[in-house]
Amino acid sequence: MDFNLSEEHLAVREAARDFAQNQLFPQVIERDNAQKFDTELLRQMGELGFMGMMTSPEYGGSGMDTLSYVIAMEEISKVDASAGVIMSVNNSLVCWGLEQFGNEDQKQKYLTQLAAGKIIGAFCLSEPEAGSDATSQHTTAVDMGDYYLLNGTKNWITSGNTSSVCLVIAQTHPEKGHKGINVFIVEKGWEGFSVGKKEDKMGIRASDTHTLMFSDVKVPKENRIGEDGFGFKFAMGTLNGGRIGIAAQALGIAAGAFELSLKYSKERKTFGKPISEHQAIQFKLSEMVTKIQAARLLVYQAARMKDEHKDYIQAAAMSKLYASEVAMWVTTEAVQIHGGYGYVKEYHVERMMRDAKITQIYEGTSEIQKLVIARELLK
């Protein structure tokens, strides 16, 4: 594995870091408190190419590789994990899924706008009784000839209210099990499509998370992605790539908390000297940076394997499992290093600790990642 980054990768890192520090950082606490992301920032992210990084320029994207994407994700998430998850869903799940599996008409109509950041997309898989178990879809799509009749409820949907287009997984042929599932492109505003309550979350509070409800929504046949029964394969394929994005988000949260802790340790004095000169703090900082670098290498490896069209399922699960655990551990230590100041919003690490927890849950819990890794080992 080549550990050196190209000039292009370094340029991506610099651009993402500049945007994160100069545009995202100033109001990050206010957005967290208000539980609302700034639409102007979303527009800027689109103009900078962050919303369709891996999408071909032919469809409005930046045409970059997965490694560029995770490098940018890390820098964005160092400052604002809410921006990171909005970016992750739009890139890894919505744009990537449409470009890989959608037809030309679907790409021209929807992908061109999504990749350019002109509109935001949502990925609708989770249900009240079907989270990680994608085979147990209670949302139904009945074939009515020229259209499907969509009924059901999806929850924990990132950008559920701000999105204009949703990719909805639904069961069409219950007797066929997972082979009877389809995926549909559903537009906000269609009759019968309503947005439910906004979740009052512990972390990533600036990204809106909603329940979405479908009551006799007529979905045109041309809005089905792939052949009849392709939905389960679509969901699994996109989630495998999505894990790399969440791993990069977790990596960014950990790295951001470490950088703040390192800076604070040099400034904060106890017993007449900076706390960075105390061995107990040095031990914490040393272990933090070691774990972060190990997580970064796992994330980069998964990204490179994806770019090289290798089987990256196990690598993606490993990177997501480890990076999310590192994020939770590092942010907890960051709060400890900051002491009482770490417990207040002004110093940022308490928000990062809250944000870190979700990375262990979405795109499959840590236990799910272990099952994926074991399945790949044993097959």
Side-chain angles (χ1 to χ4, degrees):
M1 179 178 177
D2 182 6
F3 294 99
N4 296 313
L5 297 179
S6 68
E7 290 186 7
E8 180 181 3
H9 291 135
L10 293 174
V12 168
R13 172 181 285 169
E14 186 61 31
R17 182 177 295 168
D18 180 74
F19 174 75
Q21 295 296 331
N22 294 313
Q23 302 302 322
L24 291 177
F25 182 74
Q27 301 296 319
V28 64
I29 294 175
E30 288 78 4
R31 291 193 299 275
D32 182 73
N33 288 337
Q35 299 188 56
K36 186 176 181 180
F37 201 75
D38 189 342
T39 54
E40 172 60 20
L41 291 174
L42 283 177
R43 185 191 65 77
Q44 292 177 32
M45 290 171 70
E47 288 184 349
L48 289 168
F50 293 141
M51 300 306 286
M53 292 192 70
M54 298 175 289
T55 305
S56 168
E58 179 184 358
Y59 301 113
S62 302
M64 296 183 182
D65 58 14
T66 311
L67 184 57
S68 296
Y69 164 60
V70 300
I71 288 170
M73 273 290 297
E74 178 183 349
E75 293 301 324
I76 296 293
S77 300
K78 277 183 182 180
V79 172
D80 189 349
S82 292
V85 72
I86 295 168
M87 177 179 162
S88 176
V89 170
N90 206 68
N91 274 277
S92 297
L93 302 181
V94 181
C95 287
W96 188 85
L98 272 172
E99 183 167 22
Q100 291 295 312
F101 305 114
N103 60 40
E104 188 62 25
D105 288 341
Q106 292 167 348
K107 293 176 186 178
Q108 292 295 341
K109 185 175 182 180
Y110 297 109
L111 181 57
T112 52
Q113 296 186 73
L114 288 160
K118 294 179 180 178
I119 61 174
I120 303 299
F123 185 79
C124 305
L125 174 64
S126 294
E127 298 182 357
E129 297 180 16
S132 299
D133 183 8
T135 61
S136 300
Q137 295 295 301
H138 288 85
T139 298
T140 59
V142 179
D143 190 342
M144 304 298 288
D146 294 334
Y147 61 90
Y148 287 90
L149 204 59
L150 184 67
N151 283 279
T153 300
K154 297 291 184 178
N155 62 350
W156 311 116
I157 306 304
T158 298
S159 303
N161 190 47
T162 54
S163 61
S164 300
V165 174
C166 299
L167 303 187
V168 182
I169 314 296
Q171 180 64 264
T172 300
H173 310 286
E175 72 281 1
K176 294 183 180 180
H178 73 278
K179 294 182 179 180
I181 295 172
N182 281 306
V183 56
F184 304 94
I185 306 168
V186 182
E187 296 181 25
K188 189 71 65 65
W190 283 355
E191 186 177 355
F193 184 171
S194 59
V195 178
K197 70 169 185 173
K198 181 180 180 179
E199 301 295 345
D200 189 3
K201 308 188 300 290
M202 178 173 75
I204 56 168
R205 289 170 66 81
S207 70
D208 66 296
T209 303
H210 286 262
T211 295
L212 301 183
M213 295 165 288
F214 309 94
S215 179
D216 287 341
V217 178
K218 292 183 178 180
V219 182
K221 267 287 178 62
E222 59 265 27
N223 277 42
R224 187 189 72 202
I225 298 177
E227 298 297 321
D228 189 21
F230 181 68
F232 180 75
K233 288 184 178 179
F234 177 92
M236 294 301 99
T238 51
L239 287 176
N240 286 330
R243 291 185 178 113
I244 301 175
I246 297 306
Q249 182 192 10
L251 171 62
I253 295 170
F258 167 75
E259 290 178 5
L260 289 173
S261 299
L262 181 62
K263 181 175 182 290
Y264 179 81
S265 72
K266 295 177 180 179
E267 298 170 348
R268 173 66 169 164
K269 292 183 178 181
T270 60
F271 303 104
K273 60 182 179 181
I275 63 171
S276 60
E277 295 183 19
H278 295 303
Q279 193 176 67
I281 300 299
Q282 292 177 355
F283 284 174
K284 288 182 184 295
L285 293 171
S286 297
E287 194 168 0
M288 289 164 82
V289 74
T290 300
K291 288 178 182 290
I292 289 167
Q293 182 61 8
R296 184 176 289 116
L297 292 176
L298 280 172
V299 175
Y300 282 14
Q301 179 190 45
R304 284 194 184 276
M305 289 179 71
K306 185 172 183 286
D307 287 333
E308 294 169 358
H309 305 290
K310 296 178 179 178
D311 184 351
Y312 63 89
I313 294 175
Q314 184 184 72
M318 290 170 67
S319 68
K320 198 270 184 185
L321 171 66
Y322 188 71
S324 63
E325 292 182 348
V326 167
M328 195 69 248
W329 184 85
V330 167
T331 54
T332 302
E333 290 296 284
V335 171
Q336 195 72 18
I337 288 172
H338 281 74
Y341 292 110
Y343 209 65
V344 296
K345 292 180 181 293
E346 180 184 354
Y347 287 78
H348 298 282
V349 290
E350 67 84 29
R351 184 187 74 255
M352 292 176 166
M353 183 179 176
R354 290 187 283 107
D355 289 345
K357 186 58 191 176
I358 192 61
T359 66
Q360 293 182 304
I361 299 173
Y362 56 15
E363 302 295 339
T365 62
S366 296
E367 289 73 24
I368 293 295
Q369 305 313 313
K370 292 174 184 177
L371 289 174
V372 171
I373 294 166
R375 182 187 65 196
E376 293 299 307
L377 285 172
L378 298 171
K379 73 177 183 181

